[in-house]
Amino acid sequence: MVTQSLYGDLETARDHFSEACFPVLLVDEALTILFANQQAAELFPALKLPDGLRTLLAAEEAAGCCHRISQQKHFKQNLSFLSGHTVTMAFLPTLGAGDQKMAYVFFVAALSPQETTPPLEQLLGYSSLGLSAQVRESLSDIFYALAAARNKLPPQQAVQIQPQLETINRSCYGILRDMDNITRRSRTTDPQGQKIQAVDFWSECAQLMDATSALLRGTDVDFHYALPSTTVCVLCDFSQVTCALLNAISNACLYGGPEATIRVSGKDLESALVVTVSDDGPGIPAGLLDSVFQPAPGLKKNNHVPGLGLGLNTARQIVTAAGGTMAVQSQEGMGTTVAFTFPVAAGEKTEDLTFFSNSAEYLQDRFSPVYLGLCGVVQPPLL
């Protein structure tokens, strides 16, 4: 095992690790892969792609790694799989990179599952996390195959098969979104699976809405948002809240119809804040309103809306776990409104988030929550 830092350059990486019998990467602080040895490429073919490591990590895990690399910290990050085994990645900051922060990534262990029998709740949570990780691993191979297929074809043929590649890519994003919802549902029952901290809610929400607006600008969706400029502190895992809000926005886009207007608004109350997601679409039939929070494949008139139908169910579990509430009001022909409330944490001091610091970062990462949450509405990026 390496015990001291090495220089962060391709020549050093190749000299030391090209023939290593264990997987090694050299990445920058955005997790872009600058070097991957043969063992790494054999373990996960997607690691041949510059953003291949991000396909194996949840968005908040990737963001946490980026933050710690920028701080030049030594740390470990686990990848759990359905078999119950965990692949451990050790991050070692480099030397001599100037202003650019880099780190070597060593896949150092495959640990056996614990022999003790966990409680049923933990077992179910671990199973969903493991399943999500294994699906993410398989999808990373597909993303790599799509990029490789397009890059190897002559330009004219690449243009001809572009629609098919985009269809496959969107389907993969849809699966990734469903697995993300499943994982987040399990985290709501596991306090250790969440990163609860005091956040400046309206500021973070505005950055998310700004990124959402930028994505939807290229579609037929008429999207608007208006949020207070006050500083209000909420204790929550904002990566979870991000998923809940995007699920509601995605539903409004998919069910509101092509001519619907989507509006997100916020309001300060004395001890809570309220976020609403509204559309002026066809609304929900009265007979179905009581079942909107039940997991079920989505139906839009006679057209199937792809997905497992976990969006609002997952959102409510996330909001409830944060001490808030979620309600849906709808009237046929008048539209639908989803309302979230979150308790204000009076006297708390907001902390720096290690998730996403501004709207641009949501759009720079093609596997960020906005691309996953809105993949049924926008065309996800194809490398």
Side-chain angles (χ1 to χ4, degrees):
M1 177 63 191
V2 177
T3 57
Q4 61 183 15
S5 295
L6 298 168
Y7 285 97
D9 59 75
L10 292 179
E11 183 178 355
T12 300
R14 293 191 184 103
D15 289 346
H16 283 80
F17 303 114
S18 289
E19 304 299 327
C21 61
F22 52 90
V24 183
L25 305 175
L26 175 63
V27 301
D28 64 16
E29 60 184 308
L31 284 191
T32 302
I33 297 174
L34 308 175
F35 165 82
N37 70 352
Q38 185 61 35
Q39 289 293 324
E42 290 179 359
L43 180 64
F44 299 115
L47 296 182
K48 299 175 185 177
L49 299 175
D51 64 353
L53 186 55
R54 286 184 174 272
T55 68
L56 301 173
L57 296 167
E60 57 269 28
E61 292 174 334
C65 289
C66 293
H67 176 74
R68 284 174 283 183
I69 293 174
S70 70
Q71 299 297 313
Q72 294 189 298
K73 293 182 178 180
H74 296 73
F75 64 95
K76 294 180 180 180
Q77 176 69 50
N78 291 335
L79 295 173
S80 299
F81 298 101
L82 188 62
S83 62
H85 288 74
T86 298
V87 174
T88 301
M89 299 184 297
F91 287 72
L92 183 73
T94 64
L95 298 173
D99 294 334
Q100 186 178 18
K101 304 297 190 303
M102 300 182 188
Y104 283 99
V105 185
F106 302 95
F107 292 74
V108 297
L111 304 177
S112 299
Q114 296 181 352
E115 295 182 0
T116 55
T117 303
L120 179 59
E121 293 81 3
Q122 292 183 16
L123 181 61
L124 292 175
Y126 178 81
S127 297
S128 63
L129 290 171
L131 178 60
S132 177
Q134 190 173 60
V135 170
R136 188 177 287 272
E137 178 188 358
S138 299
L139 289 175
S140 72
D141 293 341
I142 297 175
F143 286 125
Y144 168 72
L146 289 175
R150 190 177 67 170
N151 293 337
K152 290 181 179 179
L153 288 174
Q156 185 175 0
Q157 290 185 344
V159 171
Q160 291 176 347
I161 69 167
Q162 183 76 6
Q164 291 89 341
L165 294 180
E166 290 180 349
T167 298
I168 297 171
N169 188 56
R170 172 172 266 173
S171 296
C172 289
Y173 267 85
I175 296 171
L176 204 56
R177 176 202 58 207
D178 289 336
M179 296 312 306
D180 188 60
N181 275 320
I182 291 173
T183 301
R184 294 187 183 283
R185 285 159 55 87
S186 69
R187 287 179 178 170
T188 61
T189 60
D190 178 16
Q192 295 183 348
Q194 301 187 63
K195 185 175 183 181
I196 307 297
Q197 58 183 6
V199 300
D200 182 350
F201 191 90
W202 292 130
S203 175
E204 298 301 331
C205 194
Q207 292 167 20
L208 174 64
M209 293 303 111
D210 190 39
T212 299
S213 178
L215 274 190
L216 294 178
R217 205 170 292 138
T219 70
D220 295 331
V221 176
D222 187 14
F223 179 81
H224 306 271
Y225 73 92
L227 302 173
S229 58
T230 54
T231 298
V232 179
C233 184
V234 173
L235 284 174
C236 65
D237 181 338
F238 196 76
S239 69
Q240 293 279 85
V241 173
T242 292
C243 175
L245 295 176
L246 288 173
N247 280 349
I249 293 171
S250 176
N251 266 26
C253 294
L254 292 171
Y255 292 96
E259 298 181 358
T261 298
I262 314 298
R263 299 185 185 277
V264 176
S265 61
K267 183 178 181 180
D268 289 324
L269 303 179
E270 288 186 6
S271 59
L273 55 83
V274 180
V275 184
T276 59
V277 179
S278 304
D279 68 71
D280 58 358
I284 302 172
L288 298 178
L289 193 57
D290 291 338
S291 62
V292 294
F293 290 116
Q294 298 300 318
L299 294 176
K300 180 182 177 184
K301 295 183 179 179
N302 295 324
N303 298 321
H304 179 65
V305 174
L308 299 178
L310 297 176
L312 293 185
N313 179 270
T314 301
R316 186 167 70 168
Q317 290 197 30
I318 289 172
V319 175
T320 301
T325 64
M326 181 176 174
V328 177
Q329 294 181 334
S330 187
Q331 184 175 350
E332 285 191 80
M334 300 294 291
T336 301
T337 297
V338 179
F340 303 87
T341 68
F342 294 93
V344 172
E348 291 284 346
K349 184 178 180 181
T350 59
E351 304 174 29
D352 292 332
L353 283 181
T354 59
F355 186 44
F356 288 97
S357 59
N358 58 61
S359 59
E361 292 188 30
Y362 281 108
L363 302 176
Q364 289 170 356
D365 175 14
R366 71 183 182 118
F367 296 110
S368 79
V370 290
Y371 286 116
L372 290 186
L374 300 175
C375 67
V377 185
V378 303
Q379 179 62 51
L382 176 64
L383 185 67

